[in-house]
Amino acid sequence: MRRQKFGSAGATTSVIGQGTWYIDHGDRVAAVAALRRGLDLGMTHIDTAEMYGDAEPVVADAIAGRRDEVFLVSKVLPSNASRRGAITACERSLRRLKTDRLDCYLLHWRGQYPLSETVAAFDDLIRTGKIRSWGVSNFDAGDLAELVSVAGEGKIACNQVLYHLGERAIEHSVVPWCEAHGVAVVAYSPFGHDDFPSPQSKAGKVLQRIAMAHDATPRQVALSFLTRLPSVFAIPKASRAAHAADNAGAGDLSLGEGEIALLEQAFPRGPEPRSLPML
Ligand code: NAP
């Protein structure tokens, strides 16, 4: 499993990680086993959020006894992201995750509280050792520039954004901005949430052909394509161990320039939208 530096966090983590949205909705034992299988295969970056229902307790079970292996990320809801509220929310997440620290803590999306308040809370959480770094999610390049003017350079570890074969909008401004400022880009919903290209579609056939050439699966090719840029990580969610194992296989797959060009053509970037797409 390829690992790389996680923005300004100063840590390295797996390029392919594990998402947990809706992981609490099915068979809990299977979900815990899937996350643990992912850890066994090097997908040590685990993403959760206070918004994801009972996902945090599922993660707690999965990382029990293995906390030091994990790069653990959770998120505060914008409605809790005040100076005091973000601290309380983080402490609540730590209790639910049965741990004493997060490796990175994110503002889930921009809300009503001034960024300065949230940043002050994050700085406090760093001082007290409850988080090791902080970042944001669903920020466009303008939001990021404003955040840097509040927090200073070198403080934002990551920006977690929607990125999959059918949605490449972040390549226009967000990725270049993040690369210029040392901010990791984390691709969420890398399989389009539930909208992976069908093998019958024209673009799906391109994916299939490239996968066959590598003895890989189309999902592995998709993850490898998304993480071809040096600043990008991906966090597919799998609630079955077999899916987790499949996804981990992408961590060692590298595509040739010609294959990347074919995928760029099959899944065109399109023009830059007015606002950043999000789920
Ligand atoms: P996703 O990862 O794009 O897709 C998940 C779906 O793909 C599930 O149905 C899963 O099935 C299936 N799957 C996974 N691996 C597979 C494989 N190898 N073969 C076949 N099917 C496979 O969707 P997502 O959950 O929306 O996004 C991933 C993570 O990003 C989330 O869980 C969350 O942590 C994060 N996220 C963040 C935000 C944000 O605003 N910051 C928004 C959305 C998501 P099974 O579950 O049955 O295995």
Side-chain angles (χ1 to χ4, degrees):
M1 168 62 60
R2 196 154 55 86
R3 295 173 65 85
Q4 62 194 19
K5 193 168 171 286
F6 194 77
S8 67
T12 58
T13 189
S14 60
V15 169
I16 311 297
Q18 306 193 73
T20 63
W21 192 23
Y22 288 109
I23 207 155
D24 55 322
H25 281 218
D27 178 340
R28 187 191 172 100
V29 173
V32 169
L35 287 168
R36 289 179 83 88
R37 181 97 172 99
L39 286 180
D40 294 341
L41 296 170
M43 293 196 294
T44 50
H45 173 181
I46 296 187
D47 177 77
T48 190
E50 64 169 338
M51 193 190 96
Y52 301 165
D54 273 333
E56 286 180 328
V58 171
V59 171
D61 287 355
I63 66 173
R66 325 180 52 162
R67 174 67 186 90
D68 291 347
E69 289 171 47
V70 181
F71 187 87
L72 185 58
V73 181
S74 192
K75 313 186 195 75
V76 57
L77 279 167
S79 53
N80 288 335
S82 64
R83 177 83 170 78
R84 189 182 279 269
I87 292 172
T88 311
C90 180
E91 289 167 345
R92 199 166 45 234
S93 283
L94 290 174
R95 278 196 300 276
R96 285 157 61 81
L97 287 160
K98 298 197 176 130
T99 185
D100 59 352
R101 74 215 183 261
L102 295 173
D103 295 285
C104 198
Y105 195 39
L106 314 186
L107 173 60
H108 211 142
W109 63 90
R110 199 171 173 178
Q112 85 230 44
Y113 289 107
L115 293 173
S116 56
E117 273 205 42
T118 312
V119 169
F122 285 168
D123 284 343
D124 248 22
L125 288 165
I126 287 187
R127 267 193 300 278
T128 53
K130 289 175 180 155
I131 66 172
R132 295 250 161 99
S133 65
W134 61 263
V136 290
S137 178
N138 297 303
F139 270 43
D140 66 18
D143 293 325
L144 289 164
E146 207 180 316
L147 182 60
V148 159
S149 73
V150 170
E153 286 285 354
K155 294 288 193 64
I156 311 166
C158 73
N159 184 25
Q160 189 181 115
V161 282
L162 179 64
Y163 188 38
H164 57 85
L165 288 170
E167 183 45 86
R168 296 174 51 203
I170 62 160
E171 291 178 19
H172 289 284
S173 307
V174 172
V175 172
W177 192 98
C178 288
E179 287 188 341
H181 294 264
V183 173
V185 176
V186 180
Y188 76 65
S189 303
F191 298 144
H193 189 64
D194 236 347
D195 191 21
F196 195 71
S198 128
Q200 280 81 42
S201 65
K202 199 170 158 213
K205 282 183 184 149
V206 174
L207 205 52
Q208 206 89 26
R209 268 201 306 279
I210 295 173
M212 276 170 67
H214 286 271
D215 202 14
T217 65
R219 293 199 186 232
Q220 289 172 340
V221 171
L223 292 174
S224 179
F225 175 80
L226 298 174
T227 56
R228 74 202 181 282
L229 305 164
S231 56
V232 183
F233 297 75
I235 47 166
K237 171 260 189 180
S239 41
R240 302 170 211 204
H243 286 170
D246 185 22
N247 299 342
D252 296 312
L253 173 63
S254 76
L255 302 172
E257 275 176 33
E259 292 169 325
I260 288 173
L262 282 174
L263 289 166
E264 287 190 319
Q265 214 173 30
F267 299 94
R269 182 192 288 185
E272 184 163 20
R274 278 166 175 272
S275 59
L276 193 66
M278 60 185 279
L279 283 193

